[in-house]
């Protein structure tokens, strides 16, 4: 499983390890099966992405479907976690892939501004325009040109819980953030702390902040803060940090307290709720929590592992924060024309339905048949994501320069870890966030 970019899990793979891989070593099994048209027979499309494990395996099923449709051979190349470094090195070495699956808006923008990308073909843009909410086009557009086709999404506004813990404590799914904290304290009184918080992975803390901020401050300010048109010292930021601090400082709510949380990574947080020795009743993160609970701990989604939407804060709207992977075509790829044909395929519902059936996937495509998903829980999550339409907001830290929003031990990740350790000074944390953001954004 790979990093959630935060869209799914962060991997231990490094850019240097990825650069050592050869294209031929990871050829996809997309050469079997008859081609229905054969229009690309004899051609090869090379695709780079961060996916590993089951995600890579399931994406190769999509590539297999493309092979059957066109006759093209496909090769998947793991990029490692640092997509920017990987792609830059491949372009410099004259061995660029044709297509890259980009997990961060900021990286997509960087690629476009470097002049590395081709705009979507008219066909890909037309298909995407009829099946994606306009907000997804906005995130794939740089300086008025549509470069990035969002194919895979994550729903990062889901709170997962152990039903037996809720039943034992006599609590129901909360409808507001205040009720969420109240339910958490009732859980703790019944013998199980409320939340497993994976504070060792700083990206999870940014997700907590983003959901609170989107609901409390609203989408307009969210967009302004994401673009650093609003300073992190704004009262709305301090208010959201204060709200988050109420959770962080309460030992009933944070399983094991802050120090335990700061030594807990994401997979371990899921284990604390759904593993053989549960230590908490809930874990907040994206829809991919369900995949870990199912695949690693044998939980049946909808029965042994359930979720509810991240509740509205202070009377605001229920937030829907998302992440996603955008397909882009590189100018310097050896077969960018065939690469664009792949994007035209990915823009349709057929490609998404292949992965939906395999599991571990959500599509923002409104034309994907919900029956394609393998269980009611995933179906419900996908429906919620699509229904959010233009109110979806992309993960804020994934929109930021990596030095602020995507670097371990630095920027927002580190400062929110410090805040988890000591949430007593929201104003001071806001000032530190602003200083780091100003440096990263160059203003």
């Amino acid at each position: 499983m790979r990093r959630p970019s935060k869209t799914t899990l962060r991997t231990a793979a490094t850019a240097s390890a990825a650069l050592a891989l050869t294209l031929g070593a990871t050829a996809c099994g997309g050469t079997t099966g008859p081609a229905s048209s054969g229009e690309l027979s004899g051609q090869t499309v090379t695709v780079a992405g961060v996916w590993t494990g089951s995600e890579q395996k399931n994406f190769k099923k999509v590539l297999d479907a493309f092979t059957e449709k066109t006759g093209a051979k496909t090769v998947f190349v793991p990029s490692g976690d640092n997509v920017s470094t990987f792609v830059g090195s491949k372009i410099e070495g004259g061995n660029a892939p044709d297509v890259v699956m980009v997990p961060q808006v900021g990286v997509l923008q960087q690629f476009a501004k470097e002049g590395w990308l081709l705009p979507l073909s008219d066909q890909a843009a037309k298909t995407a325009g009829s099946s994606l909410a306009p907000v997804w086009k906005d995130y794939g557009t740089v300086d008025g040109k549509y470069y990035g086709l969002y194919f895979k999404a994550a729903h990062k506004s889901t709170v997962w819980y152990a039903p037996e813990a809720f039943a034992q404590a006599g609590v129901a799914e909360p409808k507001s953030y205040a009720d969420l904290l109240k339910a958490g304290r009732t859980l703790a009184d019944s013998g199980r702390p409320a939340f497993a918080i994976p504070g060792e992975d700083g990206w999870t803390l940014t997700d907590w902040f983003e959901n609170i901020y989107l609901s409390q401050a609203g989408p307009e300010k969210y967009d302004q803060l994401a673009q650093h048109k609003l300073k992190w010292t704004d009262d709305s930021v301090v208010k959201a940090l204060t709200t988050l601090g109420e959770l962080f400082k309460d030992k009933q709510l944070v399983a094991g307290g802050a120090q335990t949380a700061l030594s807990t990574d994401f997979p371990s947080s899921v284990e604390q709720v759904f593993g053989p020795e549960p230590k908490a009743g809930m874990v907040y993160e994206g829809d991919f929590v369900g995949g870990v609970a199912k695949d690693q701990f044998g939980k049946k989604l909808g029965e042994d592992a359930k979720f509810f939407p991240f509740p509205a804060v202070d009377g605001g709207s229920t937030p829907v924060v998302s992440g996603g992977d955008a397909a882009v075509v590189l100018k310097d790829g050896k077969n960018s024309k065939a690469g664009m044909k792949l994007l035209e395929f990915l823009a349709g519902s057929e490609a998404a339905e292949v992965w939906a059936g395999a599991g571990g996937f959500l599509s923002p495509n409104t034309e994907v048949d919900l029956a394609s998903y393998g269980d009611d829980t995933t179906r419900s999550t996908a429906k919620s994501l699509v229904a959010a339409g233009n109110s979806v907001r992309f993960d804020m830290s994934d929109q930021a320069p990596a030095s602020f929003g995507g670097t371990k031990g630095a920027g927002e990740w580190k400062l929110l870890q410090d805040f988890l350790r000591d949430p007593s000074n929201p104003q001071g944390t806001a000032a530190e966030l602003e200083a780091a953001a100003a440096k990263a954004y160059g203003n």
Side-chain angles (χ1 to χ4, degrees):
M1 193 169 286
R2 62 104 175 166
R3 67 193 284 283
S5 68
K6 308 170 308 190
T7 341
T8 37
L9 306 180
R10 305 247 172 210
T11 82
T14 63
S16 59
L19 292 173
L21 293 169
T22 62
L23 297 182
T26 53
C28 172
T31 57
T32 60
S36 60
S37 72
E39 63 176 310
L40 299 178
S41 293
Q43 300 187 47
T44 299
V45 180
T46 303
V47 185
V50 299
W51 295 319
T52 60
S54 62
E55 285 186 305
Q56 183 184 128
K57 179 181 177 181
N58 290 337
F59 180 58
K60 286 182 177 181
K61 293 179 182 178
V62 177
L63 297 181
D64 286 348
F66 176 68
T67 291
E68 292 176 10
K69 195 174 187 70
T70 66
K73 176 184 176 182
T74 57
V75 176
F76 183 83
V77 189
S79 66
D81 210 29
N82 195 328
V83 180
S84 179
T85 298
F86 175 85
V87 172
S89 175
K90 289 296 184 184
I91 290 174
E92 187 177 345
N95 197 23
D98 303 303
V99 174
V100 181
M101 307 304 296
V102 181
Q104 293 164 300
V105 172
V107 173
L108 189 153
Q109 293 171 344
Q110 175 197 340
F111 285 7
K113 289 174 181 178
E114 291 281 358
W116 293 350
L117 303 182
L118 290 174
L120 297 189
S121 67
D122 290 344
Q123 181 61 49
K126 180 180 178 181
T127 304
S130 67
S131 59
L132 296 176
V135 67
W136 293 103
K137 179 179 179 180
D138 292 344
Y139 287 128
T141 299
V142 183
D143 296 332
K145 292 185 178 180
Y146 193 5
Y147 294 106
L149 171 74
Y150 275 93
F151 174 66
K152 186 177 189 290
H155 193 319
K156 306 192 75 178
S157 299
T158 54
V159 182
W160 293 79
Y161 69 96
E164 78 277 5
F166 271 42
Q168 180 180 329
V171 298
E173 295 180 356
K175 303 301 182 183
S176 71
Y177 188 78
D179 287 343
L180 176 66
L181 300 190
K182 182 179 179 181
R185 293 184 180 108
T186 303
L187 276 173
D189 289 340
S190 74
R192 195 182 298 190
F195 286 101
I197 295 183
E200 183 179 321
D201 291 326
W203 56 267
T204 66
L205 306 182
T206 70
D207 288 346
W208 269 105
F209 171 82
E210 288 158 7
N211 276 273
I212 290 172
Y213 190 81
L214 177 57
S215 181
Q216 199 173 56
E220 184 176 345
K221 283 195 171 182
Y222 184 98
D223 292 342
Q224 292 172 351
L225 188 62
Q227 298 165 32
H228 201 223
K229 294 179 179 178
L230 185 73
K231 291 188 176 182
W232 285 78
T233 47
D234 189 81
D235 288 345
S236 62
V237 176
V238 176
K239 183 178 181 181
L241 287 171
T242 301
T243 300
L244 182 57
E246 293 174 13
L247 168 69
F248 285 174
K249 70 185 179 184
D250 193 327
K251 292 182 179 179
Q252 278 192 305
L253 298 178
V254 181
Q259 285 307 120
T260 295
L262 287 165
S263 60
T264 301
D265 62 13
F266 171 73
S268 299
S269 72
V270 181
E271 182 177 6
Q272 286 182 12
V273 178
F274 298 111
E277 298 179 8
K279 296 180 173 63
M282 292 181 279
V283 56
Y284 155 68
E285 248 312 324
D287 60 275
F288 39 85
V289 170
V292 179
K294 177 183 177 182
D295 296 341
Q296 296 189 22
F297 305 110
K299 299 300 182 181
K300 188 170 183 179
L301 302 186
E303 294 185 14
D304 306 320
K306 293 184 177 182
F307 80 92
F308 54 86
F310 196 102
V313 184
D314 294 342
S317 298
T318 302
V320 179
V321 176
S322 183
D325 297 88
V328 298
V329 177
L330 296 185
K331 284 182 179 177
D332 292 335
K334 289 184 171 59
N335 200 346
S336 56
K337 186 175 181 180
M340 192 64 72
K341 288 290 184 182
L342 174 60
L343 262 66
E344 291 171 3
F345 176 66
L346 296 179
S349 60
E350 179 184 351
E353 287 169 359
V354 170
W355 197 339
F361 175 82
L362 292 181
S363 172
N365 189 318
T366 60
E367 296 182 359
V368 170
D369 186 351
L370 291 175
S372 301
Y373 294 99
D375 60 83
D376 289 340
T377 298
T378 307
R379 201 170 291 120
S380 174
T381 314
K383 183 178 180 180
S384 171
L385 177 72
V386 169
N390 254 9
S391 67
V392 169
R393 285 300 181 270
F394 205 94
D395 185 301
M396 189 186 297
S397 63
D398 278 353
Q399 298 184 57
S403 60
F404 178 67
T407 301
K408 186 173 183 178
E412 192 180 0
W413 292 15
K414 179 184 184 300
L415 292 171
L416 287 180
Q417 287 173 323
D418 292 343
F419 186 65
L420 170 60
R421 187 178 291 108
D422 179 9
S424 63
N425 187 6
Q427 292 88 351
T429 297
E432 290 179 311
L433 286 163
E434 172 57 27
K439 183 178 179 181
Y441 282 88
N443 55 4

